């Protein structure tokens, strides 16, 4: 990595909408990810709304490390699908080899953005294969989703962690505003 200060061709907001397009083309919408956030946070945040979850997913997608994980992971999935990856990697990606592990490693760059609670959420989503994660994970046929399922779980986990932190911040702010007893 170098920090030459050279600006890339794309701006952050543009990268966000490109990341959303890439995910949508692979079968995952912001609404799908918002539904995961809702499921994992509904017990903990009173009055949680799907709109709020959706907003949190969108905010996560504004982060460069998230956008970069989407572009990198989905490029590898697509190249494997087109058989444009060399062996033995092609075989591992096409079979979604459980011992490959780099798909989870890439997802961790997203999971950790809002602290370690993201890791707990990610582990849970990965284990129960909730909602859209189960759908992309079970996908049989020509589409390779080796990276997609982990990236989607990671985005939802990060968005949920973000909401958990914000809910606590708001509670504390409210406490501070109470008149002295
Ligand atoms: Mg995977």
């Amino acid at each position: 990595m170098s920090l030459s200060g050279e600006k890339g061709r794309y701006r952050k907001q543009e990268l966000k909408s490109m990341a959303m397009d890439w995910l949508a083309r692979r079968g995952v919408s912001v609404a799908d990810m918002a539904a995961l956030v809702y499921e994992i946070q509904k017990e903990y945040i009173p009055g949680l709304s799907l709109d709020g979850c959706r907003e949190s997913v969108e905010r996560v997608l504004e982060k460069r490390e998230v956008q970069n994980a989407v572009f990198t992971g989905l490029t590898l999935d697509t190249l494997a699908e087109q058989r444009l990856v060399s062996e033995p990697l092609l075989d591992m990606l096409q079979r979604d080899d459980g011992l490959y592990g780099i798909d989870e490693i890439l997802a961790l760059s997203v999971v950790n953005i809002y602290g370690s609670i993201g890791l707990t959420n990610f582990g849970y989503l990965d284990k129960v294969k909730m909602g859209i994660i189960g759908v992309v994970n079970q996908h049989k046929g020509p589409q390779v989703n080796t990276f997609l399922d982990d990236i989607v779980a990671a985005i939802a986990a990060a968005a949920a962690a973000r909401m958990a932190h914000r809910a606590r911040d708001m509670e504390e702010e409210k406490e501070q505003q109470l008149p002295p007893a």
Side-chain angles (χ1 to χ4, degrees):
M1 186 182 83
S2 74
L3 292 171
S4 64
E6 256 180 70
K7 278 203 195 104
R9 191 189 299 176
Y10 301 100
R11 295 191 178 278
K12 217 163 143 180
Q13 282 303 322
E14 203 176 343
L15 291 168
K16 175 189 170 187
S17 73
M18 289 171 88
M20 282 161 68
D21 285 349
W22 279 46
L23 286 163
R25 259 186 276 136
R26 305 299 291 176
V28 179
S29 67
V30 169
D32 292 327
M33 293 183 281
L36 296 175
V37 177
Y38 186 83
E39 280 307 312
I40 49 182
Q41 285 304 100
K42 66 180 179 190
E43 274 179 58
Y44 309 104
I45 303 179
L48 180 71
S49 72
L50 262 175
D51 275 350
C53 296
R54 195 191 162 90
E55 199 230 326
S56 196
V57 169
E58 291 221 19
R59 296 300 292 273
V60 167
L61 284 164
E62 283 168 13
K63 299 267 180 194
R64 256 179 223 285
E65 47 272 73
V66 178
Q67 298 162 354
N68 294 344
V70 169
F71 300 136
T72 306
L74 299 198
T75 292
L76 284 164
D77 278 351
T78 313
L79 289 177
E81 210 166 280
Q82 297 166 348
R83 308 187 60 81
L84 294 173
V85 174
S86 301
E87 292 291 4
L89 185 57
L90 178 62
D91 177 62
M92 289 189 258
L93 293 180
Q94 285 188 325
R95 284 187 301 110
D96 196 2
D97 188 338
L99 296 181
Y100 173 58
I102 311 297
D103 42 349
E104 281 95 9
I105 297 291
L106 181 70
L108 290 184
S109 65
V110 171
V111 166
N112 290 327
I113 296 175
Y114 297 99
S116 57
I117 185 179
L119 192 60
T120 313
N121 293 337
F122 178 69
Y124 177 67
L125 286 173
D126 192 42
K127 191 167 185 254
V128 304
K129 308 273 181 228
M130 189 186 279
I132 188 70
I133 299 168
V135 174
V136 301
N137 195 259
Q138 275 171 16
H139 191 96
K140 300 265 187 304
Q143 187 165 325
V144 173
N145 288 336
T146 295
F147 280 88
L148 180 66
D149 61 338
D150 299 286
I151 287 171
V152 168
I155 292 172
R162 178 182 172 277
M163 293 189 93
H165 281 283
R166 285 176 59 86
R168 175 72 59 82
D169 290 347
M170 276 159 64
E171 252 172 53
E172 284 176 13
E173 272 165 38
K174 227 189 263 174
E175 275 167 21
Q176 280 165 6
Q177 281 163 10
L178 286 178

